[in-house]
């Protein structure tokens, strides 16, 4: 089960933050097909938001075909992104950790590390070079 | 759809002073309503009228399609927590629950007991020895356990520290998710309410300045920033709420259903707090103008 958190200064609406967090958990394999999303009551009791905000987020995820509501039981993941990448993600995460460690040793602060990563990512080729 | 609260030209006068005037509102049921405004704006007066603790000086008011305090049944459908969440300091928590059971035909003892247990409170403890947050939770428990259709909360979180405030609102949202209940809560702190409410009423200078679904209000209000210019040039569909000018720049908060397409303006969206402040600013400006015009006439 995942826990949601809200960033009130991000400028992203709470309902969109929930949608993004579910999608990100699906991409990273923290949520998989068959898993249940936390109930609306559970979410609002944790992060103090309006129940309709959670329902709206779940409806959007349902509309995109990622989750399905089973009346009286809960909302479940029925579809995910490419699950075959989960194994590769572990090694990729490890090499990123090594890279971040190097960046810190070189004296970069958090914001510089993030800026460098995002900048490199944005300007890298969008297709595989064959 | 039934209304949680329907007011037409509602007014309340204390002596010569109107605490609330020309109040026309139609709040649908099933919402969590933020009743926002500065101190003395008439928030408590409106809530007290809705419970039936006050009677209107003018206009009419129905709550859940009934006249406030017109019958025991009407009273039973409304849960009210007054400002500063009053409890009887000499009585134990258990005695409070007993009293709730004796006074309310619809009392849900199981719900009350479970909530006190979940809060980790000892039923034998005297209410006077509870912390501010615990007292607020006890008052909320009493209001919820009568299983009302409408909960009215007057400044429920104003005196609580940030953590207690968050816990109080989280439990309130659990109640909304679990039971079919409408909520109207007043506050002069907007930041707390932005996440929990879906309907907004701004009261200032004894009048309703704006009301509506928050999503809709946020999508139809814009902040415009551009080179200095007159604001009379807007089409009729654009209403200016507030504006300010420097030598070179004009900033305006406007309400418009249509998007603002004039490229001279850079258009920003508003937060709920921006929106509330703009309407409070408008009310204050109108008040000053009134004072000026009275002064000029003498």
């Amino acid at each position: 089960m995942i826990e949601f958190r809200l960033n009130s200064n991000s400028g992203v609406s709470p309902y969109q933050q929930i949608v993004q967090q579910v999608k990100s958990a699906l991409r990273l394999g923290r949520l998989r097909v068959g898993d249940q999303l936390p109930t609306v009551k559970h979410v609002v009791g944790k992060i103090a938001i309006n129940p309709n905000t959670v329902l709206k987020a779940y409806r959007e995820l349902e509309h995109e075909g990622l989750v399905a509501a089973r009346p009286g039981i809960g909302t479940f993941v029925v579809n995910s992104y490419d699950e075959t990448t989960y194994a590769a993600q572990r090694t990729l995460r490890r090499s990123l950790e090594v890279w971040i460690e190097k960046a810190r040793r070189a004296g970069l602060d958090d914001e510089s590390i993030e800026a460098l990563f995002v900048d490199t990512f944005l300007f890298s080729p969008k297709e595989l070079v064959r | 759809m039934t209304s949680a609260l329907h007011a037409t030209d509602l007014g309340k006068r204390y002596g010569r002073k109107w605490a609330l005037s020309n109040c026309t509102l139609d709040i649908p049921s099933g919402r969590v309503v933020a009743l926002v405004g500065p101190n003395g704006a008439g928030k408590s007066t409106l809530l007290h009228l809705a419970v039936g603790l006050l009677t209107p000086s003018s206009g009419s008011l129905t709550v859940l399609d009934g006249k406030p305090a017109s019958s025991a049944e009407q009273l039973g459908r409304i849960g009210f927590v007054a400002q500063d969440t009053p409890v009887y300091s000499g009585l134990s928590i258990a005695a409070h629950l007993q009293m709730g059971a004796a006074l309310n035909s619809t009392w849900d003892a199981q719900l009350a007991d479970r909530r006190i247990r979940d809060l980790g409170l000892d039923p034998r403890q005297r209410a006077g020895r509870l912390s501010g947050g615990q007292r607020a939770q006890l008052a909320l428990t009493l209001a919820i356990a009568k299983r009302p259709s409408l909960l009215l909360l007057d400044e429920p979180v104003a005196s609580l520290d940030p953590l207690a405030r968050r816990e109080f609102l989280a439990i309130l949202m659990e109640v909304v998710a679990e039971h079919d209940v409408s909520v109207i809560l007043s506050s002069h702190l907007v930041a707390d309410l932005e996440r929990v409410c879906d309907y907004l009423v701004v009261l200032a200078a004894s009048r309703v300045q704006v009301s509506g679904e928050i999503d809709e209000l946020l999508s139809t209000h814009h902040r415009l920033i551009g080179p200095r210019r007159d604001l009379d040039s807007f089409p009729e569909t654009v209403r200016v709420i507030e504006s300010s000018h420097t030598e070179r720049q004009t900033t305006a908060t406007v309400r418009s259903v249509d998007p603002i397409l004039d490229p001279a303006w850079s258009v920003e969206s508003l937060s709920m707090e921006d929106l509330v402040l703009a309407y409070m600013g408008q009310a204050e400006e109108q008040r000053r103008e009134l004072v000026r015009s009275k002064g000029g006439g003498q």
Side-chain angles (χ1 to χ4, degrees), chain B residues 89-95 116 121-130:
Chain B
S89 58
L91 294 185
S92 68
I93 292 176
I116 295 299
L121 295 177
D122 178 359
R124 290 165 301 181
Q125 196 168 16
R126 281 183 179 210
R129 306 196 56 176
L130 298 173

Side-chain angles (χ1 to χ4, degrees), chain A residues 3 16 48 53 60 65 74 81 96 103 113-114 124:
Chain A
E3 294 279 353
Q16 280 169 327
T53 308
E60 175 156 333
Y81 302 99
L96 253 185
I113 294 174
E114 193 183 335
S124 65

Side-chain angles (χ1 to χ4, degrees), chain A residues 6-8 14 40-42 44-53 56, chain B residues 30-32 114 166 169-171 173-174 176-178 195-198 215:
Chain A
L6 279 194
N7 180 350
S8 25
V40 172
K41 189 187 164 210
H42 179 85
V44 301
K46 284 275 177 194
I47 55 176
I49 58 170
N50 191 294
N52 287 324
T53 308
K56 192 174 164 190
Chain B
R31 300 299 192 282
V32 181
R114 194 184 73 221
R166 167 66 70 87
L169 292 174
I171 285 177
M173 289 303 102
E174 268 185 22
V176 172
E178 209 172 11
R195 289 170 168 193
V196 300
C197 296
D198 47 24
D215 279 352

Side-chain angles (χ1 to χ4, degrees), chain A residues 53-72:
Chain A
T53 308
V54 187
L55 283 173
K56 192 174 164 190
Y58 283 11
R59 265 201 305 272
E60 175 156 333
L61 291 162
E62 199 172 350
H63 187 73
E64 292 187 34
L66 293 168
V67 306
R70 289 191 218 150

